[in-house]
Amino acid sequence: MHDVRSIRRHARVLLDLAIARGRAESVLADLDRMRGILERTPELASALADPALAAERRGLLVGTLIAACADPLAREFVARMARWKQSAWLADLAKAYERMHGERRGAVQARVATAAPMPEGWAARLAETLGRRLGRTVEASFSVDPALLAGFRVRAGDRVFDCSAQARVEQLRRAWMSGS
């Protein structure tokens, strides 16, 4: 794991610069694209994390990420991170920027995992219900996790709502083991 305080500090600096220049949304889009590249190509993320990687090779790999950035501020920031030998932090920095960006707008990021794809319209209703429960706007992203068996699990900030069959089975198991 990387130095969380440093990642947050870098994300805050980038967000402050982007807001001051009126480009917070375009930087967010670029970082999201870059994070997607890193998540889809774990070998790229792994290579960037390798301290033994030659500077020339690191520069070529970072160039791939910079090419995904349309905003000059995002391109410059990614290049600086590479020069400071902190390119391994880029995916975590993108997540921190996204979270801080949402917080400044009064929104909370929610990751929703469902046991199966949700029917049409249910995702919006779930996000709306979460928003009412949390008292904030919810920006939700959805994924499918068949291990949940049925239901869903939501991570919103530091809160977790586990409405899955897997969680219910675990509750029953613990109750049975404790003799209740």
Side-chain angles (χ1 to χ4, degrees), residues 1-10 34 38 45 48-49 81 84-95:
M1 183 64 197
H2 307 294
D3 180 3
V4 174
R5 283 185 298 199
S6 292
I7 291 168
R8 286 184 189 147
R9 187 176 61 245
H10 282 77
M34 182 192 64
L38 290 168
L48 290 172
M81 293 292 286
W84 296 332
K85 297 188 178 1
Q86 295 170 332
S87 51
W89 293 6
L90 290 171
D92 291 335
L93 180 121
K95 289 177 192 173

Side-chain angles (χ1 to χ4, degrees), residues 31-154:
L31 291 177
D32 189 49
R33 245 187 321 278
M34 182 192 64
R35 189 176 79 197
I37 291 169
L38 290 168
E39 289 174 353
R40 286 188 307 276
T41 53
E43 57 278 353
L44 173 61
S46 176
L48 290 172
D50 183 358
L53 184 66
E56 182 178 319
R57 179 80 174 124
R58 182 177 308 279
L60 290 172
L61 294 176
V62 170
T64 303
L65 297 175
I66 291 172
C69 297
D71 190 283
L73 179 59
R75 284 195 306 264
E76 176 61 24
F77 204 83
V78 170
R80 283 181 192 257
M81 293 292 286
R83 281 195 300 273
W84 296 332
K85 297 188 178 1
Q86 295 170 332
S87 51
W89 293 6
L90 290 171
D92 291 335
L93 180 121
K95 289 177 192 173
Y97 180 97
E98 179 183 4
R99 188 182 65 254
M100 288 177 188
H101 183 263
E103 288 170 357
R104 289 211 183 163
R105 289 189 344 266
V108 64
Q109 302 291 319
R111 306 264 182 224
V112 181
T114 59
M118 295 183 83
E120 186 81 23
W122 283 29
R125 283 195 299 236
L126 178 58
E128 184 180 310
T129 302
L130 281 169
R132 280 195 307 274
R133 175 96 186 235
L134 297 171
R136 297 172 72 184
T137 301
V138 171
E139 295 175 349
S141 62
F142 294 85
S143 63
V144 175
D145 180 1
L148 296 177
L149 304 177
F152 60 91
R153 180 180 298 136
V154 178

